Amino acid sequence: FELSLLVILIFKLTYDQTLIPTNDTLVKMSKCARPSHLGKCGLVIISLLFIIIIQLNMFWYNSSSSELDQARMSPGIEHEQDWRPSQQAIDNWQNTAPFLHCPRGSDRKSESMQKLNNLVASNTSSFCSCPPDVTFILVTNMAADKSPVSEQLYQLCGCRYVHIRLDNQTAWPGWQWSYKVTPVIQWLEASWASLPENSYLMFTDAFDSGLIGDASDLVQRFLEYDCELLGMSTVADWPPDREFRLFEKEKYPWSKCRNHLSAGAWMASVSNALFYLKIWEDDWKSRGSDSKWNDQMAFRRLHRRFYPKFKVDTLARVWTRCDSGMDCI
């Protein structure tokens, strides 16, 4: 609408005519053709043309962004918009997740964390294995001589992993939830070429998760969901939000104990990881880069925007939360 008005205004300035007396007759002349108006009209027309160029660029940018979202939202994968596992997978379901996650609020946190520490103390890797085409990521601000339990288990099991250590005295003071996103983007952009071709990334919270079993078929487990980004499941609607709670229940109706999304862990191919991480970071930037930004709420917004390309691990194929309902789908 604004663009149309600008075009009309330029047309009017250029072609609107007045009668100009000459020696013998009256001649029709554009107002902008009159010598006394040339300078002013020229500046006005140039300014309006500049505004039109800006408007066209904004239109092109918005259209491109819309098309990108459309492409990501469209079911360009092998299933319809609302994905559902086979009935056999639901009927025969067992919790075989190779990763354990014990966030605050888990009713079996104490005993499960003890289990992780006992596995480290056993000093044997007979219980675990890792895939060669997955790089595991941790982000902490721990001192160089300290390692969280998740890292100790990666070392014990011979996993390919990266521990991004943040200097909390300089660029990364204290701890903010955005540190789970921006440092990973920076590391990924710097390390892209060194990663195995066609490989995957998996991020987990460092202090309350760990490998407890055979993860050699981790990529196959991920591919079963036919998605680009897989997030860990949880029983908790946290932070409480009616809109997200209903959306997650609607998309995963077969799950009663793990149909909500947790930002504590995710998995994706290298290229897809960078795409989604940047949008996750944009959520933080769009809210003024607030130090109190909530990564969990932003992750749920991302899930709602990009489902079914972004799904929740409702079948516990990768991670399981250490609750009394671990054996409940």
Side-chain angles (χ1 to χ4, degrees), residues 10-290:
I10 291 177
F11 183 86
K12 183 173 179 61
L13 283 171
T14 306
Y15 293 101
D16 197 8
Q17 297 176 336
T18 56
L19 294 175
I20 307 297
T22 65
N23 292 334
D24 301 314
T25 184
L26 293 175
V27 177
K28 287 186 176 182
M29 180 179 290
S30 167
K31 288 181 180 178
C32 280
R34 295 171 63 182
S36 60
H37 286 69
L38 282 175
K40 293 180 181 179
C41 285
L43 287 175
V44 170
I45 291 175
I46 290 172
S47 299
L48 291 174
L49 287 172
F50 181 71
I51 293 173
I52 287 176
I53 291 171
I54 293 176
Q55 291 280 337
L56 287 172
N57 283 334
M58 290 180 65
F59 175 78
W60 175 85
Y61 174 81
N62 290 333
S63 298
S64 299
S65 299
S66 177
E67 289 172 3
L68 179 61
D69 276 359
Q70 184 81 13
R72 290 275 164 180
M73 286 289 288
S74 64
I77 40 188
E78 297 178 359
H79 57 77
E80 295 182 357
Q81 186 74 6
D82 285 338
W83 173 83
R84 181 182 178 88
S86 69
Q87 191 60 46
Q88 182 180 9
I90 296 173
D91 294 340
N92 299 330
W93 180 84
Q94 289 183 329
N95 192 336
T96 60
F99 285 87
L100 183 64
H101 182 234
C102 300
R104 184 182 305 173
S106 304
D107 57 16
R108 293 174 61 181
K109 181 178 177 68
S110 179
E111 62 183 274
S112 297
M113 289 302 299
Q114 186 61 51
K115 176 181 179 179
L116 295 180
N117 289 316
N118 289 342
L119 288 173
V120 172
S122 71
N123 201 30
T124 176
S125 61
S126 60
F127 69 92
C128 61
S129 60
C130 279
D133 47 357
V134 177
T135 301
F136 300 93
I137 304 172
L138 307 169
V139 180
T140 76
N141 53 13
M142 299 180 74
D145 59 342
K146 303 290 183 182
S147 295
V149 65
S150 56
E151 181 175 17
Q152 296 176 60
L153 286 166
Y154 286 147
Q155 292 172 343
L156 182 63
C157 298
C159 303
R160 177 189 176 94
Y161 78 94
V162 173
H163 184 170
I164 303 173
R165 294 181 184 269
L166 307 178
D167 183 353
N168 59 10
Q169 301 300 318
T170 54
W172 311 96
W175 177 260
Q176 301 176 23
W177 296 119
S178 60
Y179 294 176
K180 293 172 59 173
V181 184
T182 302
V184 179
I185 293 175
Q186 294 177 355
W187 167 81
L188 184 53
E189 290 179 332
S191 307
W192 184 287
S194 65
L195 295 172
E197 188 176 0
N198 301 321
S199 64
Y200 295 81
L201 300 177
M202 195 182 99
F203 171 95
T204 60
D205 285 345
F207 299 104
D208 53 13
S209 63
L211 178 59
I212 59 171
D214 180 9
S216 60
D217 61 346
L218 190 61
V219 172
Q220 180 56 41
R221 289 169 177 257
F222 168 80
L223 293 175
E224 289 172 10
Y225 284 99
D226 194 16
C227 65
E228 295 179 343
L229 175 63
L230 185 67
M232 183 167 61
S233 63
T234 178
V235 68
D237 167 33
W238 186 260
D241 185 279
R242 181 177 183 275
E243 183 177 356
F244 291 133
R245 181 177 69 254
L246 294 178
F247 178 81
E248 291 159 1
K249 285 186 174 181
E250 174 191 344
K251 299 306 178 185
Y252 310 107
W254 59 87
S255 178
K256 304 302 179 186
C257 301
R258 54 185 77 250
N259 56 5
H260 297 301
L261 175 66
S262 168
W266 55 263
M267 182 173 174
S269 69
V270 172
S271 58
N272 284 327
L274 187 59
F275 173 84
Y276 288 107
L277 281 168
K278 286 188 172 182
I279 298 178
W280 199 5
E281 183 186 50
D282 286 344
D283 186 283
W284 170 62
K285 291 179 178 179
S286 70
R287 286 162 173 75
S289 302
D290 188 353

